[in-house]
Amino acid sequence: MSENDITRELVRQIEEMKNTIKRLEVDKAQFEAINIDSNPRILGASVNDYDIGNYDWILVNTTAPRNMSGLARGILGRRIIITNYGSTLTLLHQSALSVATNRISTITGANVPIASGYSAMLLYMDDTPFSAGYRWRILFPNN
């Protein structure tokens, strides 16, 4: 084997290793733990364009019945679980109180109440033809 052949083979192996590392980095995200905000956020008022931070699961404590019209930080494919402790939290369907891209879209077109001790999972997605563009779609409420 010539020196050039050895060099080509080493370069090929290095490229193969780089591709393997890239695949492992992508796969790693599937196995990371859910990022939970374990300190319940107290909602003393209804909220619009609510900032969920970088969490996958947030706990909210509603001090009285509250409304949530939208969530900030939507990225295509992002999921969020909202668990309510306290009074009823109502997720508002397509409320103009939030910026269009932060709005919540429900399957029925009706507002969705989340009772104390229950959760809802939402997915940020292209919600057309149900609405004009990207929205937080409620996948399931658990009440």
Side-chain angles (χ1 to χ4, degrees), residues 11-25:
V11 167
R12 186 191 66 75
Q13 289 179 8
I14 289 170
E15 289 304 313
E16 229 177 80
M17 285 190 288
K18 284 180 183 177
N19 289 332
T20 299
I21 290 169
K22 285 179 189 174
R23 279 194 308 276
L24 290 173
E25 287 173 350

Side-chain angles (χ1 to χ4, degrees), residues 91-126:
L91 303 178
L92 302 180
H93 173 73
Q94 295 290 2
S95 172
L97 295 171
S98 280
V99 174
T101 55
N102 289 346
R103 292 179 188 162
I104 296 167
S105 176
T106 66
I107 293 170
T108 63
N111 296 336
V112 174
I114 306 299
S116 181
Y118 291 93
S119 303
M121 177 184 274
L122 295 89
L123 173 69
Y124 195 75
M125 59 183 280
D126 184 352

